[in-house]
Amino acid sequence: MVKVSLVNILIADHRRLEGMFERCLDSHTRRDQEELVDKIIKTLAVHTMIEEEHVFPLLKELNKDDALEAYEEHHAIKVLVDELMNCKCDHDTVRAKVKVLGEIMEHHHEEEEKKLFPMLIESDFDLFDVGREMLEHKNDLERHVHIAISALHEEIAAGPCAASSKSKCAFAA
Ligand SMILES: [Fe+2]
Ligand SMILES: [Fe+2]
């Protein structure tokens, strides 16, 4: 099996997501838009879940405040994803919602790639080992994406303190 660092896996996911946002914003038919929104929702549900389970616990050991902020950014992203999931608005309104989410994602990717991932690269963690476990989990979740979607719904239903309580749990671990 080829060894891939968790950082490379996540960055490839970021580029894939950004491509989906671009194609979604360029879509002219409701059907194309719906298909791409569905892809974005599923990809984001899996991506945020694997980061929170495999990456953020490492980050919290390196910098607690940065990790806490990352959990909160994920929470804000999930609020918008949840809204998109339930949205029955017209094409232009959905496009505007996707645009706002895309801009938040762009900021979040920049934070991860310029600040958080370099911290991991400089650390002593075995990023190939964690990468292998994370990839297995990612592949599994992609086959059973409802697990990631349900977790996202549950977090939003649990209210605004869900992300903080989750990160506190992680800090307590
Ligand atoms: Fe990410
Ligand atoms: Fe993230």
Side-chain angles (χ1 to χ4, degrees):
M1 190 181 179
V2 185
K3 286 179 99 183
V4 191
S5 160
L6 72 87
V7 169
N8 292 348
I9 298 166
L10 295 172
I11 289 178
D13 239 16
H14 289 176
R15 298 293 87 81
R16 207 157 59 90
L17 264 163
E18 284 157 8
M20 285 178 204
F21 275 95
E22 245 172 67
R23 291 203 302 284
C24 191
L25 292 173
D26 285 343
S27 65
H28 295 294
T29 68
R30 192 78 172 98
R31 202 174 148 210
D32 286 352
Q33 188 188 52
E34 269 171 18
E35 264 177 35
L36 283 156
V37 165
D38 186 60
K39 261 191 177 176
I40 288 172
I41 289 168
K42 286 174 177 160
T43 308
L44 270 178
V46 172
H47 184 84
T48 50
M49 192 171 196
I50 56 163
E51 278 187 341
E52 287 172 24
E53 290 194 13
H54 300 271
V55 184
F56 289 5
L58 307 183
L59 283 172
K60 60 126 182 174
E61 287 187 33
L62 301 170
N63 187 315
K64 187 180 163 182
D65 286 343
D66 283 342
L68 199 56
E69 198 183 312
Y71 276 106
E72 289 302 333
E73 280 190 9
H74 272 201
H75 187 68
I77 287 162
K78 288 182 210 172
V79 169
L80 293 179
V81 169
D82 189 64
E83 223 183 77
L84 263 181
M85 242 185 280
N86 297 307
C87 180
K88 300 277 177 277
C89 304
D90 60 274
H91 185 277
D92 289 351
T93 308
V94 171
R95 187 182 184 281
K97 284 182 186 292
V98 169
K99 187 141 199 280
V100 171
L101 177 60
E103 283 167 358
I104 294 171
M105 291 308 304
E106 223 173 277
H107 162 81
H108 181 66
H109 290 168
E110 201 177 313
E111 288 252 311
E112 289 187 332
E113 291 178 28
K114 296 208 170 133
K115 191 172 170 191
L116 305 182
F117 295 168
M119 273 165 38
L120 288 172
I121 291 167
E122 282 167 23
S123 74
D124 293 331
F125 292 120
D126 185 339
L127 303 186
F128 292 96
D129 209 34
V130 185
R132 184 183 40 76
E133 278 172 28
M134 188 182 75
L135 196 57
E136 277 171 19
H137 191 193
K138 181 175 185 282
N139 291 339
D140 197 41
L141 281 175
E142 280 167 353
R143 282 192 296 273
H144 307 282
V145 75
H146 65 277
I147 295 173
I149 299 276
S150 304
L152 190 149
H153 275 314
E154 276 167 32
E155 179 179 321
I156 301 307
C161 299
S164 354
S165 61
K166 189 157 57 170
S167 50
K168 278 198 194 99
C169 287
F171 290 131

